[in-house]
Amino acid sequence: MNPTVKMNGRAMLQIAHDVAPGAKLCFATAFTGSLGFADHIRRLADPSGPCKADVIVDDVTYLAEPMFSGGPIGDAADDVAAQGVSYFSSAGNNGDKG
């Protein structure tokens, strides 16, 4: 895995720990393509998996992901939300880029 990805993931986990120090923290990269990212979202929330996440946060935007219609990442977010998982994304946080 790219060292920058590890550093960014660690930074996200440190922020989560600061906000909720008793929370179980898990990490999955989003940089395996949109289908891999979608798979990782579902794996994090899998109730029989090692993480069993009930909150997922990402800080990644895939420019090829449709903004106003379904796509693999949005579908995965919808799937886990339907299970009761809270999903938060920074999608569109490049507001200063036009």
Side-chain angles (χ1 to χ4, degrees):
M1 181 183 306
N2 180 325
T4 302
V5 171
K6 284 184 181 179
M7 290 184 342
N8 291 342
R10 182 177 13 218
M12 290 286 291
L13 291 176
Q14 287 172 336
I15 292 167
H17 176 73
D18 288 346
V19 174
K24 179 180 177 184
L25 303 175
C26 300
F27 173 80
T29 184
F31 299 106
T32 55
S34 60
L35 295 177
F37 184 15
D39 186 47
H40 289 167
I41 292 167
R42 290 184 180 100
R43 284 185 187 180
L44 286 170
D46 183 350
S48 62
C51 189
K52 302 173 184 66
D54 57 1
V55 176
I56 298 176
V57 179
D58 79 51
D59 188 25
V60 176
T61 300
Y62 267 82
L63 297 177
E65 180 77 359
M67 187 65 73
F68 300 108
S69 61
I73 299 167
D75 290 346
D78 287 344
D79 289 348
V80 301
Q83 293 174 213
V85 174
S86 297
Y87 190 94
F88 302 93
S89 178
S90 68
N93 74 352
N94 294 325
D96 64 335
K97 305 288 189 268

